[in-house]
Amino acid sequence: MAQDLLLEIGLEEMPAHVVTPSREQLEQKIIKFLDEHHLAYETVQSFSTPRRLAVRVTNLPEQQEDTQEEVKGPAKKIALDEQGNWSKAAQGFVRGQGLTTDAITFKELNGVEYVYVTKHNQGQKTIEVLTGLKQVIMSLTFPVTMHWANYDFEYIRPIHWLVALLGEEVIPFSVLDVETSNTSLGHRFLGDQTSLMHANEYEEKLKEQFVIVDPAERKALITAQANQLAEKNHWSVDLDEELLEEVNNLVEYPTVFVGGFAEKYLSVPDEVLVTSMKEHQRYFEVRNDQGLLLPHFISVRNGDHVHLENVIKGNEKVLVARLEDAEFFYNEDKKLTIDQCVEKLKQVTFHEKIGTIYEKMQRVGIISQIIGKEIGLSEEELADLKRASEIYKFDLVTNMVGEFPELQGIMGEKYALLQGEKPTVAQAIREHYLPISSEGELPESAIGSVLAIADKLDSVFSFFTVGMIPSGSNDPYALRRQTYGVIRIVEAKGWQFPLVQLQMEIGAAVNADQQRFGIQLTKGQEEVIEFVKARLRQLLSTKNVRHDVIDAVVSAEQKDLSKLFSAASILKQHILDNDFKPSIEALTRVINLAKKGHELLKQDSKVDESLFENESEKALHQAVNALEERFKNNTMGENYQALVDLRPLIEKYFDETMVMVEDEKVKANRLNELNRIAKMALSLASLDLLIVK
């Protein structure tokens, strides 16, 4: 008869950010365990609260299915002695499988006969197999761990109880000194112990003890209660999904409530108030239907409505203390001037091996002007960019950012506007931090985008030059994320971005005045290009570009990042065309011969038409001349099509022309011709790396 399995791990309260990943990990590991042990099942559902991780599996059989497997033994020549009797090797092999030599058969594998036996395995009782769940529990991994009492074993938090049931029967095993039972614990303050008579009672029994074990149900309750309060008061509440997930993993029995604060605090910028509520207190802000912040907040209690008014007062008291600080810091910061803050940055270290933040700003100022001119910013935009680069880190020494680091850039924009800076400059100060995550929001303005690129490139160049290059998973200064951000911004803007050329210009400008810039970019810069290419691979992989296309694009003799993006898009677009395969094969043949030519030719020289021996050489030469004239000004799409259009001429050329002839002049002439085509092809992508078979 089929039975349901319930496994619950009872713990001290886990950090909220660990709960969901741990629940999912436990579910996946139990599925893997059941599959590996040949136990069929119908459904698997996982549960979690701050104090428990649980999984229920329905309709497990009473015992494993009987299985049989074919086991390969020694070669026949080893299994039989000279008299044709079974050797000790054969006898030992079958004995190890629990069989006799009567079970042996021979099968040929790669021209050699081997001993084989068919081993029949009788299925164990399911409850006996499930005692192995102990290893599943102990195999869970966490971002942080601890040990307790005198045990060496480490876990996210101490284990206090274990429920392991197959139907009505307890699965017997223990982890450290905690033995399995059918007894679970309810809410820490409102509930009590509860005994489960059957695995399918789990949700109902725990709910009686003020624990809602299904996280989806808890989240739905929080959402419904919050929306009900908002509707009742004609408010607009944005239940930020990330915060909602965190709050959901902080409670076992959610009760939503409303608190308030004095209207005077609304004079402080919204971002400060929201940060105080959201980041520090886990509150949801409340707005009116015009989107204006109101002096109220919504929060969630881990409990019922009893004495809820005391909980509200306590939460209000804590928030008001934070808002008092925020108001004080804001008013004090308004007394500072931008120049005073910038002067303080001369004493603030960016990194001990690199220098101060002020010196970094000086470098970013020169880098941003180089990039701004390259992408074609107007004189007014360059002037605004110059001003932004001179002050963009000033808010780091303000009181507000010292208390709320997550507001860096945001407060810079606020304070810059208060002190009369142009809106474009203030916006760039905020945007230079973007994106703050791999797939985060990108800067909108051109000035902010250039400042963001310059700031991130300076960090990469500087850390690489002092030998602090990320390796493995070690990347303490988030250089991978910053480089990925540069690539995303360049792609989004569609700017021409010749990285190698820009790197040389930046290096020359920075190295010209070490006293001003604090460092010389003399080492590690070649590694930067490879580092950027690795991030380019990452970006292209998110766009479902084939691996061989990524390899071809990244390996291209093309230094402009924007053109690499375009090449990847073009190849992805045309990869299923009927003429793609023959065109790439023809161009690959050209590239391969051109590579051989580089070994034979000391330098490129002009193609000598007097050495042509057939019409196909003349036709290809004329087509290549015409293409070279327009190749630099064409779009990447036009160049791709032009190379594809060369295919009939290339194929005819190879049909009628032997390239590697004995006459050295003729051979060199033909290799030079092919080299011209190869150069154009390789500026699009290393087409020889494409898989077209």
Side-chain angles (χ1 to χ4, degrees):
M1 179 179 175
Q3 298 281 9
D4 295 347
L5 162 68
L6 173 68
L7 177 69
E8 182 189 55
I9 309 168
L11 304 151
E12 291 185 12
E13 276 84 351
M14 294 176 283
H17 69 277
V18 172
V19 175
T20 298
S22 300
R23 171 178 61 81
E24 293 171 347
Q25 183 186 171
L26 178 62
E27 179 180 337
Q28 292 304 314
K29 289 203 169 190
I30 286 181
I31 290 172
K32 183 180 179 183
F33 175 88
L34 296 174
D35 291 342
E36 288 177 348
H37 289 82
H38 308 290
L39 286 172
Y41 54 87
E42 187 172 312
T43 63
V44 179
Q45 183 179 6
S46 58
F47 308 92
S48 62
T49 76
R51 297 178 69 209
R52 70 200 74 227
L53 301 169
V55 172
R56 182 173 59 219
V57 183
T58 60
N59 288 342
L60 284 168
E62 289 186 1
Q63 69 177 48
Q64 293 173 312
E65 295 178 3
D66 293 343
T67 61
Q68 64 179 38
E69 58 178 320
E70 198 171 51
V71 184
K72 175 174 164 285
K76 182 177 181 180
K77 62 183 180 181
I78 297 174
L80 295 172
D81 61 21
E82 294 179 356
Q83 289 73 41
N85 299 317
W86 296 116
S87 66
K88 288 184 178 180
Q91 294 174 22
F93 166 68
V94 295
R95 189 165 52 248
Q97 303 302 322
L99 300 169
T100 67
T101 53
D102 293 339
I104 289 178
T105 59
F106 294 105
K107 286 188 179 181
E108 187 177 305
L109 180 64
N110 297 328
V112 179
E113 282 194 286
Y114 288 91
V115 165
Y116 279 86
V117 294
T118 300
K119 184 178 179 181
H120 298 273
N121 301 310
Q122 184 174 358
Q124 286 182 280
K125 289 185 177 180
T126 298
I127 196 165
E128 294 174 0
V129 177
L130 292 178
T131 58
L133 291 174
K134 171 181 178 176
Q135 280 68 46
V136 172
I137 294 171
M138 298 180 74
S139 72
L140 294 183
T141 57
F142 307 96
V144 291
T145 57
M146 61 180 292
H147 60 81
W148 60 98
N150 295 321
Y151 302 117
D152 292 331
F153 177 66
E154 294 188 7
Y155 219 57
I156 181 64
R157 289 293 185 268
I159 299 173
H160 285 301
W161 75 91
L162 289 170
V163 174
L165 289 175
L166 183 62
E168 300 174 355
E169 192 172 356
V170 174
I171 304 166
F173 63 86
S174 63
V175 176
L176 304 183
D177 61 347
V178 182
E179 295 186 0
T180 55
S181 69
N182 66 340
T183 302
S184 181
L185 271 64
H187 190 280
R188 184 177 287 280
F189 305 113
L190 303 176
D192 205 343
Q193 286 189 351
T194 183
S195 295
L196 306 171
M197 303 310 296
H198 195 281
N200 59 21
E201 293 183 339
Y202 183 56
E203 292 163 273
E204 179 185 350
K205 285 281 190 177
L206 267 295
K207 194 172 290 186
E208 292 173 2
Q209 302 303 321
F210 298 92
V211 176
I212 298 172
V213 293
D214 185 349
E217 184 180 349
R218 284 200 311 278
K219 188 177 287 188
L221 276 173
I222 294 170
T223 301
Q225 291 178 36
N227 288 337
Q228 186 177 9
L229 286 171
E231 186 177 347
K232 176 182 175 182
N233 293 283
H234 306 290
W235 293 337
S236 174
V237 178
D238 178 19
L239 295 179
D240 176 81
E241 186 57 38
E242 189 174 330
L243 178 58
L244 180 59
E245 174 75 9
E246 183 178 5
V247 169
N248 191 40
N249 286 331
L250 288 170
V251 299
E252 292 195 312
Y253 194 80
T255 297
V256 177
F257 63 88
V258 172
F261 54 88
E263 287 193 15
K264 68 171 187 170
Y265 297 116
L266 293 177
S267 62
V268 179
D270 284 7
E271 291 86 351
V272 177
L273 300 180
V274 171
T275 298
S276 296
M277 289 187 281
K278 179 179 175 180
E279 302 295 336
H280 296 270
Q281 300 303 125
R282 309 298 183 262
Y283 300 160
F284 298 95
E285 78 265 23
V286 173
R287 299 180 182 270
N288 63 18
D289 52 7
Q290 280 83 44
L292 298 176
L293 198 65
L294 296 174
H296 305 287
F297 64 87
I298 285 179
S299 187
V300 183
R301 178 195 190 181
N302 184 24
D304 57 13
H305 285 84
V306 176
H307 300 305
L308 187 60
E309 64 279 2
N310 292 337
V311 174
I312 295 172
K313 288 178 182 177
N315 278 269
E316 290 176 339
K317 186 176 180 180
V318 173
L319 179 60
V320 165
R322 285 204 168 273
L323 296 184
E324 282 287 333
D325 288 344
E327 183 184 41
F328 173 77
F329 293 143
Y330 183 60
N331 290 329
E332 287 298 302
D333 286 343
K334 287 193 290 185
K335 299 174 185 177
L336 299 171
T337 67
I338 291 176
D339 289 344
Q340 287 174 328
C341 292
V342 170
E343 187 66 25
K344 288 182 181 180
L345 291 175
K346 293 180 179 179
Q347 308 304 319
V348 179
T349 300
F350 173 65
H351 189 278
E352 59 183 2
K353 292 185 178 181
I354 297 173
T356 66
I357 291 178
Y358 181 82
E359 289 169 332
K360 176 179 175 62
M361 290 169 58
Q362 298 299 300
R363 295 192 301 273
V364 169
I366 197 75
I367 294 170
S368 61
Q369 288 297 306
I370 291 172
I371 296 172
K373 291 172 182 175
E374 176 65 38
I375 66 166
L377 292 185
S378 67
E379 289 299 320
E380 183 180 1
E381 288 174 321
L382 287 172
D384 290 345
L385 177 60
K386 181 176 183 295
R387 177 55 181 166
S389 68
E390 290 170 346
I391 65 173
Y392 75 104
K393 292 287 190 184
F394 82 90
D395 64 336
L396 293 181
V397 293
T398 61
N399 296 288
M400 189 69 79
V401 173
E403 179 69 14
F404 303 107
E406 54 269 56
L407 291 177
Q408 57 189 3
I410 295 171
M411 296 314 300
E413 179 182 39
K414 300 287 183 186
Y415 293 150
L417 290 171
L418 285 174
Q419 298 205 26
E421 296 290 342
K422 292 177 66 174
T424 50
V425 172
Q427 182 180 354
I429 291 171
R430 173 176 55 81
E431 289 183 333
H432 91 268
Y433 283 105
L434 302 179
I436 57 176
S437 62
S438 290
E439 302 302 326
E441 175 190 359
L442 296 176
E444 293 182 3
S445 71
I447 298 170
S449 297
V450 172
L451 191 60
I453 291 172
D455 181 71
K456 291 169 175 58
L457 283 182
D458 172 73
S459 294
V460 175
F461 292 157
S462 299
F463 279 111
F464 270 62
T465 206
V466 297
M468 301 184 70
I469 301 173
S471 60
S473 60
N474 183 37
D475 187 11
Y477 302 104
L479 300 184
R480 291 190 181 95
R481 176 177 60 77
Q482 293 190 63
T483 306
Y484 190 63
V486 170
I487 290 173
R488 286 188 60 215
I489 294 170
V490 171
E491 185 208 23
K493 293 296 183 183
W495 286 334
Q496 180 177 324
F497 204 83
L499 180 60
V500 175
Q501 174 193 326
L502 290 171
Q503 184 186 34
M504 292 174 63
E505 291 182 35
I506 290 166
V510 171
N511 295 341
D513 192 349
Q514 184 175 0
Q515 186 173 357
R516 177 187 172 194
F517 298 121
I519 194 173
Q520 285 200 315
L521 305 179
T522 55
K523 298 178 182 178
Q525 301 312 300
E526 290 183 6
E527 289 94 329
V528 170
I529 301 299
E530 294 306 313
F531 190 72
V532 172
K533 285 184 176 181
R535 308 288 77 74
L536 176 60
R537 287 179 182 275
Q538 179 185 347
L539 179 68
L540 294 177
S541 66
T542 66
K543 300 179 180 297
N544 297 319
V545 178
R546 264 178 26 182
H547 288 294
D548 61 318
V549 174
I550 294 175
D551 289 340
V553 169
V554 171
S555 302
E557 294 178 5
Q558 173 60 255
K559 309 306 181 186
D560 190 329
L561 285 182
S562 62
K563 290 185 178 179
L564 293 178
F565 303 137
S566 180
S569 176
I570 290 163
L571 291 175
K572 180 183 177 183
Q573 176 184 345
H574 290 286
I575 209 161
L576 297 178
D577 292 354
N578 291 331
D579 59 358
F580 184 81
K581 181 177 182 292
S583 299
I584 297 303
E585 286 176 339
L587 291 166
T588 295
R589 189 174 178 187
V590 169
I591 291 169
N592 289 336
L593 279 166
K595 286 179 179 178
K596 291 182 180 179
H598 278 301
E599 299 171 3
L600 298 171
L601 302 175
K602 293 182 179 180
Q603 60 182 14
D604 295 340
S605 57
K606 290 186 177 180
V607 177
D608 186 352
E609 296 182 43
S610 67
L611 295 175
F612 290 166
E613 296 179 353
N614 57 56
E615 291 300 318
S616 63
E617 284 191 272
K618 294 178 184 178
L620 182 62
H621 181 67
Q622 290 171 358
V624 171
N625 285 344
L627 179 54
E628 271 188 337
E629 287 183 10
R630 62 181 191 275
F631 201 81
K632 287 184 179 180
N633 298 320
N634 277 355
T635 65
M636 294 294 276
E638 289 169 340
N639 284 338
Y640 168 80
Q641 190 57 52
L643 289 168
V644 168
D645 291 342
L646 280 182
R647 176 176 63 87
L649 296 175
I650 293 172
E651 289 176 340
K652 188 175 182 182
Y653 176 87
F654 283 132
D655 287 341
E656 299 179 3
T657 310
M658 174 69 71
V659 177
M660 307 303 281
V661 293
E662 292 185 7
D663 188 321
E664 292 296 329
K665 286 186 178 181
V666 174
K667 177 168 64 175
N669 200 53
R670 290 172 179 171
L671 287 171
N672 275 324
E673 185 78 84
L674 297 180
N675 191 44
R676 296 169 69 201
I677 303 171
K679 277 185 175 180
M680 292 186 286
L682 291 172
S683 70
L684 179 75
S686 289
L687 301 177
D688 52 319
L689 298 179
L690 293 173
I691 300 171
V692 293
K693 293 181 180 179

